[in-house]
Amino acid sequence: MKTMGMKRQQVGTVVSDKMDKTVTVQVERLVKHRLYGKYIRRRNKFTAHDETNECRIGDEVLMTESRPLSKNKRWRIAKIVKKAV
């Protein structure tokens, strides 16, 4: 039997809230270039489940990994870290 570990969590910014109970979250991270040593911004977009339709564009949210909820949704919104102004 496989032991259950901690689920991955990521912090990102909501870039789209047009869908029902779904938001698109952009996660930005810094990666060091192997040869030049310069830090580069890398971005990924994830679709996340927002049960209460509470998130708005510009909100900073904490996502938690979950079982597949649809074709592309594998994340749930755990909490809103900072509301957009």
Side-chain angles (χ1 to χ4, degrees):
M1 189 168 116
K2 186 177 174 185
T3 58
M4 297 300 288
M6 291 293 291
K7 293 189 179 191
R8 287 196 309 163
Q9 291 187 326
Q10 291 187 335
V11 177
T13 308
V14 176
V15 291
S16 172
D17 62 349
K18 293 180 180 181
M19 297 167 277
D20 184 33
K21 295 188 179 183
T22 305
V23 291
T24 305
V25 180
Q26 181 171 287
V27 176
E28 199 170 89
R29 60 194 170 92
L30 288 175
V31 177
K32 194 173 187 178
H33 193 283
R34 287 182 306 168
L35 179 61
Y36 301 116
K38 181 179 179 178
Y39 284 96
I40 306 165
R41 282 190 200 335
R42 294 282 183 202
R43 297 184 188 101
N44 288 88
K45 284 184 182 176
F46 300 97
T47 50
H49 186 67
D50 178 22
E51 184 63 42
T52 56
N53 279 326
E54 200 176 339
C55 297
R56 295 289 164 249
I57 293 175
D59 289 352
E60 198 172 301
V61 294
L62 176 72
M63 301 186 303
T64 306
E65 196 175 32
S66 71
R67 65 181 174 81
L69 300 164
S70 70
K71 181 182 173 184
N72 297 319
K73 263 200 288 190
R74 274 102 176 102
W75 296 87
R76 290 179 196 265
I77 300 297
K79 69 176 183 175
I80 298 174
V81 178
K82 190 168 68 174
K83 291 292 264 181
V85 178

